Amino acid sequence: MHVPDVSVVVIVYNDAERLPTAVRSVLDQTLRGVEVVIVDDCSKDRSYEVAQELEAANPGRVRAFRLPENSGGCGAPRNHGIKQATGTYVMFLDSDDVLERNACRNMLAAAERTGSDLVSGMCVRVHLDNRWGKTTEWYPWIYAHTRTLESITEYPDLLVYDTLSTNKCYRRSFLLEQGLEFPVGIHYEDLLFSAQAYVAARRITLIPNHVYYWNVVEKAAAKSISNRRHEIANFVHRMEIHRRVDQLLAAKGHTAIKTAKDAKFLKHDLVLHLRDLPLLSDAYRQEFARLANGYLAGIDPAAYENVNHLQAICAYLLGKEDWKNLLAAADAMTNKGRLSSPLAERDGRIYWCAGHLDDAEGRRILDVTDQGFHTTPLPSLILGNRLTSYEDDGRGKVTLSGAVVNPLGRIAEDAELSATLEFRARRQIGVRSFSFPVATVRHAGDTIEWSATADVGGTVRPLGIIDAVWDVRLKLKAGGDRMTTRVSVGGVDLESAARLRVRPRLTRLVSDRFEPEMTKKGNLSYVLTAEGPAAVRTQSLISSAMHGKAAGVVKRSLRRALKARRNIGSGEQKVKVYHEVFSKLPVKKGTVVFESHMGKQYSDSPKAIYEELVRQNAPFEAIWSYAGAKPTGFPEGATLVKRWSWQYLRALAQAEYWVDNQGFPLALSKRPGTTYIQTWHGSALKRMGFHEPRTKAQGKPAQDRFQAAVNRFDHFLIRSEHDVRTLAKGFRLRDEVLLRTGYPRNDALVEAHRAEADSGERVRGPLAAELGIDPDKRVLLYAPTFRANADGAVEGFEFPFDVEEFADRLGDRVTLLVRTHYLNSVSLPPSVAGRVIDVSRHHDITPLLALADGLITDYSSVMFDYAVLDRPMIFFAYDYEKYATDIRGTYFDLLDKAPGPVVATADELMQAVAAFDEADAKYAEARRRFLAEFGEYDRGDAARQIVEKFFTRSGK
């Protein structure tokens, strides 16, 4: 008898309709030696009959089984499937999901090549009810490239983050020998089963291929187990599974994995439930706190160092059962960026709340000084606005009252207050919004209280079908500051609230009421519904008609009409218009579109080229792109266009030249009549382009798209032959594309170095005075590289050293300028004012480099630019081993070539700063070698070369 290579266990419960699709995804695998083992968990619908029909239609390939009674979970049917499987390997599939077509082939090949007990591939979440076809990869950074582990201790993140059982292929003999089974009678069985398998496996292989498509319906009527968080039993099960995993790790001595798992519990598992707390009863909260705090007591304290400030604050306040401040923190965590607490200030530090500050641990965790709430301009803060009362007249009028957080009393008591209440359609079609004056706005301690009566029925006129959901916002004016806030429901009960009568513009035969509801994030919204007899009857008729034979034509026409209306401003439609309309217009001679860092700045080499064009009075029309709400810091003499606007697309289509340092949108092709000058933004330490493992791991279509994007470059600026060996080869650029001019942005640095060498003195210039720098102090610039979290998401920058200690130890001799990467942000404590200065908002780093007497960096490419000045550098490489050995890798070992001391600890950093003059002399020769290798073409005339070659009459 032939033994199948892989047995795929498909479990099903009351899912007769989708079961055939799941099974077909197995039968259609490119690997032929695959069997399907269907296990029905005693369904009440036709699931088992459908399974039997599939078995009859596919003899020898499909077998169907049924449990005698429903188990209530996934564990029992999967365990039965393991017993019935005959394949060499086993996989699991849920009846509402599907396998990628090559999943079995790819996983079997990896298992046989490496002899692994377990092979894991990438899972993709497919959001079925998302109109844009949204998909998200499940922890893609884990699967960036193929790797084989001899033990889970080599890569704890796998156990901590990927707890799924379905994106894996298990050697069946391994499961049987180890006695691995799913727990029965308890939810979250995947967490325990996966942990047991990871720990027991003698070898584990990860592959970068998609293997499993997890179909997700966010708005399903019947919530999945993991989405029924309002049920306390759900949390009981989660806690029990976590305890069992902890016991497993403790028995095996895996303390490092336990610490990482604890951090994930605080960041993920606990957060899922905390987000729902404002919406649940006091009884639920009390039981939740009892269960959670019992578990939190065993959390490794080190885990708190690996979570963000709100996650740590929530866990701490939960332990104290401080519901008032915890619910504010949970609201802030649910609504990213919202400040829901009035804060407190003690001894120059800012805290989330005034309570618990007599506790040292409380002060440490509740300290939010670094978040910059006290220095961020008020209009830039998203203030919490909690509903305090809700009244309606049963017809069309509603009276809302609420309280807006006034953090640290920053809205002064003498500030003139006014406000309007806005009802805005979520889908902006035809009608935008309706506003009502707020009758009462007044100071009330640490909040601004307000109250407004809105005649919704007599004023708000929805269309009636398309704009079904309306959100409520308060627009507050305090003195010269204007702020817009969402209105959160808070503890107000909307269950007994009446539906408000409205008059839709289309017809009241479809909808005639506004029903208040609370969104998933706890905010107040209104939904169009039907209440009048005619409206209810019409809705019923429409619902019936929509399932009739004639409805197909109507539906398709409506979909096309809505799609056309929706896509007018979509990225897809804009790209289409760019290619089919704008690119047919004539190229405008002398037109140059400039862009720096995707429109975020007026800076870098594009700025230097633009300013050289102005100096030479060259005949050209400059267009600068900007990102964000409004441009700041851009030149007045240029035309400004917002990135991805229609004006931007037309400018790019008709420009004679493109000049940027990063990349114009990848989807936009360059016309033959346009010349693309790519200045780039720095020499490379990290591997780039096709040298990156992530790029190599992508499929051919993705690689082809990337190659097409870089093939648009007509000219690519380089500063050394190092760039030729690294960037140019990484982007697969032809040699004739390369311009060995150096970087125009460094012309100013070359000139500063020459002037200093000629005069023997350093002139700091007006920027020093602007920043208030003491002329008797040394100026050091701290410019670290870009930082992101494990998921690749951008986060606020956190100092790898105690900035207050730095200021206390060295502030009498040194002024430290802090310049983070433009995608990161930083907040300094008030105590270091004048001694440490945040200069991150300065668009152009070049003047800062010229000002600084020395540079402190880690791995930023700014090291290559600063070398032009021949001034001291200190490399604070506190995580060098992790940085140098991550999946991207580096082109050279910084430790071998660094033209300055490389330090690994904060104390070593401060010692190096204290011994600044000694390092200056010691590394002089190393700096010269470094510049010769990485900046040989930076001669101070790069911008002039570019202008004369392309933009002046003699050069063209």
Side-chain angles (χ1 to χ4, degrees):
M1 179 180 175
H2 176 69
V3 176
D5 293 313
V6 180
S7 294
V8 179
V9 176
V10 182
I11 64 170
V12 60
Y13 177 69
N14 287 352
D15 199 16
E17 184 177 347
R18 291 179 293 190
L19 177 61
T21 302
V23 171
R24 178 50 55 190
S25 76
V26 182
L27 297 176
D28 288 345
Q29 288 288 300
T30 54
L31 179 71
R32 303 312 300 166
V34 180
E35 74 161 351
V36 183
V37 178
I38 305 174
V39 183
D40 173 59
D41 196 13
C42 199
S43 296
K44 297 177 181 177
D45 69 352
R46 292 192 67 254
S47 292
Y48 184 55
E49 286 80 357
V50 170
Q52 290 177 310
E53 291 167 4
L54 290 166
E55 179 181 39
N58 300 276
R61 298 198 67 195
V62 177
R63 292 183 292 135
F65 302 90
R66 185 180 194 182
L67 298 187
E69 59 183 24
N70 178 247
S71 68
C74 300
R78 285 179 183 159
N79 290 339
H80 190 76
I82 295 172
K83 294 175 183 177
Q84 298 298 335
T86 61
T88 307
Y89 295 89
V90 176
M91 293 178 64
F92 301 106
L93 173 64
D94 293 345
S95 60
D96 53 348
D97 301 328
V98 293
L99 293 183
E100 194 277 334
R101 191 164 180 265
N102 299 292
C104 293
R105 178 183 295 278
N106 289 332
M107 300 185 93
L108 176 67
E112 292 185 334
R113 184 179 67 252
T114 61
S116 294
D117 290 328
L118 189 160
V119 176
S120 190
M122 196 183 299
C123 172
V124 179
R125 284 167 59 94
V126 181
H127 301 265
L128 297 179
D129 53 352
N130 180 273
R131 72 180 78 154
W132 313 117
K134 176 183 174 183
T135 62
T136 52
E137 294 178 333
W138 190 254
Y139 298 114
W141 47 273
I142 291 178
Y143 297 97
H145 62 105
T146 301
R147 65 188 298 175
T148 296
L149 314 173
E150 299 299 325
S151 167
I152 189 60
T153 57
E154 294 178 20
Y155 196 36
D157 280 359
L158 182 60
L159 182 147
V160 171
Y161 289 96
D162 186 1
T163 57
L164 301 177
S165 66
T166 48
N167 60 334
K168 297 171 177 60
C169 180
Y170 311 84
R171 190 184 302 276
R172 186 165 63 93
S173 60
F174 159 69
L175 296 179
L176 298 177
E177 290 166 6
Q178 297 294 327
L180 293 182
E181 290 187 339
F182 290 87
V184 177
I186 188 169
H187 302 321
Y188 304 106
E189 55 279 302
D190 269 23
L191 274 71
L192 181 58
F193 182 84
S194 296
Q196 292 171 331
Y198 284 141
V199 169
R202 289 165 294 236
R203 186 172 292 163
I204 302 168
T205 294
L206 311 180
I207 60 174
N209 310 81
H210 291 172
V211 298
Y212 193 91
Y213 292 121
W214 176 3
N215 292 325
V216 180
V217 180
E218 299 285 352
K219 300 174 183 177
K223 294 293 184 182
S224 66
I225 291 168
S226 57
N227 284 328
R228 298 204 294 266
R229 292 186 294 272
H230 60 284
E231 300 173 7
I232 196 65
N234 184 291
F235 191 60
V236 171
H237 286 206
R238 188 185 288 271
M239 291 295 90
E240 177 58 26
I241 287 292
H242 273 282
R243 287 191 180 90
R244 294 188 192 183
V245 174
D246 291 345
Q247 291 167 2
L248 170 68
L249 296 177
K252 299 294 183 180
H254 294 325
T255 54
I257 299 179
K258 169 67 164 60
T259 301
K261 176 186 164 295
D262 285 347
K264 194 235 182 177
F265 176 83
L266 295 172
K267 291 192 290 187
H268 175 72
D269 300 80
L270 186 61
V271 166
L272 287 176
H273 291 268
L274 287 176
R275 286 174 173 168
D276 292 336
L277 280 187
L279 321 178
L280 299 170
S281 67
D282 288 341
Y284 179 99
R285 293 176 194 167
Q286 296 298 331
E287 182 62 11
F288 173 81
R290 184 186 69 79
L291 293 166
N293 289 331
Y295 184 77
L296 288 172
I299 290 282
D300 184 346
Y304 286 90
E305 303 300 324
N306 297 311
V307 301
N308 70 34
H309 71 286
L310 274 174
Q311 291 161 352
I313 286 171
C314 284
Y316 176 82
L317 293 174
L318 178 61
K320 299 295 182 181
E321 297 191 36
D322 181 348
W323 298 111
K324 176 184 176 182
N325 290 311
L326 171 59
L327 294 180
D331 177 62
M333 195 160 48
T334 302
N335 295 273
K336 188 175 181 180
R338 180 181 289 178
L339 176 57
S340 302
S341 171
L343 308 178
E345 183 175 1
R346 298 287 188 278
D347 303 321
R349 306 296 295 176
I350 309 301
Y351 298 94
W352 181 256
C353 57
H356 319 294
L357 299 185
D358 54 345
D359 172 24
E361 182 73 357
R363 287 195 304 275
R364 183 182 69 80
I365 292 177
L366 297 172
D367 190 329
V368 293
T369 310
D370 291 346
Q371 304 307 311
F373 296 131
H374 57 301
T375 57
T376 301
L378 265 175
S380 298
L381 292 174
I382 305 172
L383 300 180
N385 182 4
R386 181 176 55 85
L387 201 62
T388 55
S389 72
Y390 182 103
E391 298 177 4
D392 59 68
D393 64 358
R395 296 186 295 276
K397 288 186 179 180
V398 60
T399 299
L400 307 177
S401 300
V404 179
V405 168
N406 183 9
L408 302 171
R410 292 187 59 191
I411 301 177
E413 290 198 17
D414 59 355
E416 185 177 346
L417 302 176
S418 62
T420 57
L421 194 64
E422 178 187 69
F423 286 66
R424 177 182 288 266
R426 190 171 293 175
R427 298 179 72 180
Q428 295 294 300
I429 300 173
V431 180
R432 294 190 59 81
S433 64
F434 296 89
S435 296
F436 301 90
V438 174
T440 303
V441 193
R442 65 183 185 87
H443 287 273
D446 53 17
T447 64
I448 303 297
E449 292 185 349
W450 59 271
S451 182
T453 297
D455 183 7
V456 176
T459 307
V460 178
R461 298 293 306 279
L463 286 175
I465 298 176
I466 300 171
D467 51 349
V469 182
W470 289 65
D471 297 314
V472 181
R473 291 173 169 85
L474 181 80
K475 292 192 170 184
L476 174 65
K477 183 178 180 183
D481 294 324
R482 298 174 183 270
M483 292 152 281
T484 300
T485 68
R486 285 294 302 270
V487 179
S488 66
V489 173
V492 173
D493 181 17
L494 297 179
E495 291 294 325
S496 58
R499 296 176 176 183
L500 307 177
R501 295 179 181 176
V502 290
R503 294 180 298 150
R505 291 174 182 269
L506 294 181
T507 175
R508 275 183 278 182
L509 293 177
V510 176
S511 53
D512 60 359
R513 294 291 189 274
F514 252 168
E515 182 175 8
E517 75 163 19
M518 183 167 54
T519 68
K520 287 195 299 184
K521 293 188 175 183
N523 298 316
L524 176 64
S525 290
Y526 285 87
V527 179
L528 273 173
T529 61
E531 184 171 291
V536 172
R537 190 163 51 250
T538 304
Q539 273 202 343
S540 177
L541 290 172
I542 290 175
S543 177
S544 299
M546 290 301 283
H547 295 88
K549 291 183 179 180
V553 177
V554 177
K555 284 184 188 179
R556 286 191 291 273
S557 300
L558 181 59
R559 287 195 197 104
R560 283 195 295 269
L562 290 177
K563 183 177 181 181
R565 183 190 292 267
R566 184 172 61 233
N567 285 346
I568 286 175
S570 70
E572 179 183 354
Q573 186 70 12
K574 285 184 173 180
V575 170
K576 185 176 181 181
V577 171
Y578 171 86
H579 288 108
E580 296 181 4
V581 180
F582 292 159
S583 292
K584 302 297 189 293
L585 299 175
V587 170
K588 296 172 66 176
K589 293 294 184 182
T591 303
V592 190
V593 177
F594 293 92
E595 186 170 285
S596 179
H597 295 302
M598 296 184 290
K600 293 181 174 65
Q601 298 178 350
Y602 171 61
S603 66
D604 211 78
S605 291
K607 172 187 175 184
I609 293 173
Y610 167 79
E611 293 183 348
E612 181 66 21
L613 281 165
V614 173
R615 273 193 295 271
Q616 293 198 28
N617 197 29
F620 76 105
E621 178 189 351
I623 300 172
W624 272 91
S625 91
Y626 70 91
K630 56 184 178 180
T632 56
F634 286 84
E636 294 182 0
T639 300
L640 304 184
V641 294
K642 186 172 183 179
R643 202 171 196 264
W644 272 112
S645 67
W646 292 111
Q647 296 89 337
Y648 172 81
L649 296 173
R650 180 165 182 165
L652 282 176
Q654 292 192 271
E656 185 180 7
Y657 291 97
W658 291 359
V659 179
D660 93 306
N661 65 352
Q662 193 154 340
F664 287 109
L666 302 183
L668 305 181
S669 300
K670 181 184 70 67
R671 300 174 67 177
T674 301
T675 299
Y676 190 167
I677 302 172
Q678 173 56 256
T679 69
W680 203 240
H681 53 275
S683 297
L685 172 60
K686 278 281 192 180
R687 294 187 177 275
M688 301 291 293
F690 287 97
H691 290 163
E692 286 191 59
R694 282 193 182 95
T695 307
K696 293 177 180 178
Q698 290 176 338
K700 189 174 185 301
Q703 291 188 4
D704 289 345
R705 285 193 296 271
F706 180 70
Q707 187 66 65
V710 297
N711 284 347
R712 297 178 302 173
F713 303 160
D714 295 296
H715 304 284
F716 188 89
L717 274 55
I718 60 170
R719 352 182 16 235
S720 68
E721 290 304 304
H722 167 76
D723 290 352
V724 177
R725 296 187 298 271
T726 56
L727 288 170
K729 289 193 181 300
F731 293 146
R732 296 178 179 173
L733 300 176
R734 305 181 312 279
D735 189 70
E736 58 266 28
V737 171
L738 308 181
L739 291 181
R740 291 169 167 82
T741 59
Y743 281 172
R745 73 183 185 195
N746 289 341
D747 291 350
L749 300 181
V750 174
E751 180 58 32
H753 178 58
R754 286 174 181 163
E756 185 179 337
D758 292 343
S759 67
E761 63 179 73
R762 184 170 303 158
V763 179
R764 286 183 169 174
L767 181 57
E770 178 188 329
L771 296 173
I773 292 174
D774 186 336
D776 296 326
K777 288 185 180 181
R778 177 168 284 140
V779 179
L780 298 183
L781 175 65
Y782 177 44
T785 192
F786 169 66
R787 298 284 174 172
N789 64 18
D791 298 325
V794 178
E795 293 189 332
F797 175 76
E798 294 186 7
F799 279 96
F801 60 90
D802 189 330
V803 69
E804 291 180 300
E805 182 185 358
F806 186 101
D808 292 341
R809 286 175 60 173
L810 302 165
D812 58 336
R813 291 167 286 164
V814 172
T815 298
L816 183 68
L817 307 180
V818 178
R819 180 34 155 87
T820 60
H821 187 278
Y822 73 94
L823 288 175
N824 291 130
S825 59
V826 68
S827 181
L828 295 171
S831 58
V832 302
R835 297 175 293 173
V836 182
I837 303 173
D838 178 17
V839 292
S840 301
R841 294 188 180 182
H842 284 251
H843 274 207
D844 201 351
I845 196 174
T846 301
L848 298 169
L849 295 174
L851 170 63
D853 300 310
L855 174 71
I856 303 171
T857 188
D858 42 18
Y859 324 108
S860 172
S861 65
V862 75
M863 71 175 81
F864 302 110
D865 304 295
Y866 197 74
V868 171
L869 292 164
D870 190 26
R871 297 177 190 170
M873 287 186 264
I874 299 171
F875 297 85
F876 185 28
Y878 57 91
D879 58 351
Y880 182 69
E881 184 176 348
K882 177 182 177 183
Y883 186 88
T885 59
D886 82 347
I887 60 172
R888 273 181 68 180
T890 59
Y891 284 118
F892 63 87
D893 189 345
L894 180 63
L895 302 181
D896 290 340
K897 294 183 180 291
V902 181
V903 297
T905 67
D907 191 57
E908 290 175 354
L909 170 64
M910 294 183 204
Q911 290 179 29
V913 172
F916 186 83
D917 293 327
E918 179 184 333
D920 186 359
K922 179 179 178 182
Y923 288 92
E925 181 58 35
R927 292 199 300 272
R928 282 190 284 274
R929 289 196 305 268
F930 193 79
L931 178 61
E933 181 173 357
F934 299 107
E936 59 187 298
Y937 300 131
D938 276 332
R939 305 185 186 97
D941 62 348
R944 180 176 57 79
Q945 287 190 63
I946 298 299
V947 170
E948 290 180 354
K949 181 177 179 65
F950 297 104
F951 299 104
T952 62
R953 291 184 177 87
S954 59
K956 292 183 71 171

